[in-house]
Amino acid sequence: MDSPEAFTALGEFLRSRRARLTPADVGLVSYGARRVPGLRREELAQLAGVSVTYYTRLEQGHSANASASVIDAISRALRLTDDEHAHLHDLAKPVPAKRRRTARPDHARAGLVQLIGAMDTVPAVVLGRRNEVLAWNRLGHLLLAGHCDFDAPARPADRPNLIRMLFLDPHTRELYPRRQEECRRAIAALRLIAGRHPDDTALAELIGELSMKSTEFAELWCEHPVHNCMTGTKQFQHPELGALTLQFEALHLPDGSGQRLMTYTAAPGSPSEAALTLLASLGGVLNAEEQLSGG
């Protein structure tokens, strides 16, 4: 028996993508008044070459195991991006429902922790698939969450979660001057993860918590943005350093754990590079003070 949550997500995603297309966008003539924006189901079914009944059942969650060719045809009709196309396949082919178990705390490999610790000039963070911080180096900690305990990632109960902090932590809210862009990017990546892991209880609880506590999150989540954010530029307004422009890279580990290594670099010779150098020196001072105090 397939997961009903997955089918709900599938229907919501298909409706959201129908709503953003008009008949003119796909070369159709519009007839009559429309109660809601976007393509009608029969128009999309016509474009995809499937029956209206079949498409309706698929959107309502009553038609499991749709063939890959049908999903591809619907994807083309909806003009989905590559990331959206992959997400549609994840939602349309949910894994069989399993007995949900309490998720065990994840951990970063010792070698990976050692690697980022040796990166003196590059902020680096190891994230679990739910955006929980499994490890960070001194620069990563000072860049993203200097107000948190450096050792918190080692304690599963206290681990910072970057997406929770983005929406609920006042210090993190002030860190991103392009807040709407950062929030949309975070939710677009989380949508992909949720589609791949529909039976992840901890992930579902995180989404539920944020939907309840943040109107901003709930509104953006309902828009169904989908994008695999592997690289890009982030703007920061750091409390110690001021404005920073950094290039981020998300390197997914090949072990299937869903963990990823996030790094942040500045353009050579830029003010942001000078700021990171200053941050590195600050991190060195803090580390020396901890060693002297026995911390």
Side-chain angles (χ1 to χ4, degrees):
M1 186 175 181
D2 292 318
S3 167
E5 291 91 342
F7 284 132
T8 300
L10 173 61
E12 290 175 352
F13 181 65
L14 288 171
R15 286 190 290 273
S16 75
R17 291 316 183 257
R18 274 200 299 117
R20 73 181 184 182
L21 290 175
T22 67
D25 291 333
V26 295
L28 296 177
V29 178
S30 178
Y31 296 100
R34 292 175 182 262
R35 293 179 299 165
V36 294
L39 293 178
R40 297 181 174 121
R41 284 173 177 164
E42 56 267 26
E43 291 169 335
L44 181 59
Q46 175 187 342
L47 291 169
V50 299
S51 73
V52 178
T53 300
Y54 182 87
Y55 176 78
T56 299
R57 289 179 59 81
L58 183 65
E59 193 174 281
Q60 293 178 342
H62 300 307
S63 183
N65 300 318
S67 69
S69 60
V70 167
I71 297 303
D72 289 342
I74 292 172
S75 176
R76 288 192 297 270
L78 289 170
R79 302 190 174 185
L80 300 186
T81 66
D82 289 344
D83 290 337
E84 291 170 337
H85 175 80
H87 184 59
L88 178 60
H89 271 275
D90 286 336
L91 296 179
K93 290 284 192 179
V95 296
K98 303 174 183 176
R99 177 186 298 173
R100 293 193 172 187
R101 305 178 205 173
T102 302
R104 291 182 297 176
D106 206 353
H107 296 279
R109 296 198 307 267
L112 192 56
V113 176
Q114 181 175 317
L115 171 64
I116 65 172
M119 300 166 69
D120 295 331
T121 61
V122 177
V125 182
V126 180
L127 296 175
R129 73 183 183 206
R130 306 173 195 97
N131 289 284
E132 69 274 27
V133 178
L134 303 179
W136 47 22
N137 63 8
R138 288 285 168 182
L139 276 182
H141 170 238
L142 292 174
L143 174 66
L144 299 177
H147 61 291
C148 294
D149 181 5
F150 176 76
D151 294 323
R155 302 187 298 270
D158 298 334
R159 277 178 181 162
N161 183 293
L162 293 190
I163 196 166
R164 179 185 286 115
M165 292 170 67
L166 178 62
F167 286 95
L168 302 181
D169 178 60
H171 295 281
T172 307
R173 290 179 67 90
E174 297 175 0
L175 186 62
Y176 298 100
R178 295 184 180 177
R179 177 169 173 74
Q180 186 75 5
E181 175 184 312
E182 187 64 24
C183 290
R184 182 171 290 275
R185 176 159 46 195
I187 288 182
L190 189 64
R191 270 286 181 191
L192 275 178
I193 295 169
R196 292 169 186 160
H197 304 282
D199 290 314
D200 187 326
T201 304
L203 181 60
E205 290 174 350
L206 173 65
I207 294 167
E209 175 195 357
L210 293 175
S211 298
M212 290 291 292
K213 293 182 179 179
S214 171
T215 302
E216 184 180 24
F217 177 91
E219 291 176 349
L220 286 172
W221 184 256
C222 288
E223 293 180 13
H224 290 260
V226 174
H227 182 57
N228 192 13
C229 306
M230 303 291 291
T231 184
T233 301
K234 293 191 182 220
Q235 304 289 331
F236 296 89
Q237 187 61 40
H238 194 271
E240 305 286 344
L241 305 174
L244 292 169
T245 301
L246 301 178
Q247 181 79 14
F248 74 89
E249 295 288 336
L251 309 175
H252 288 259
L253 302 188
D255 58 4
S257 65
Q259 294 182 14
R260 60 195 186 279
L261 171 61
M262 295 283 294
T263 61
Y264 303 85
T265 57
S270 67
S272 294
E273 183 185 47
L276 284 184
T277 301
L278 178 61
L279 191 64
S281 65
L282 177 60
V285 170
L286 291 176
N287 191 33
E289 290 177 347
E290 288 180 359
Q291 291 177 351
L292 288 174
S293 65

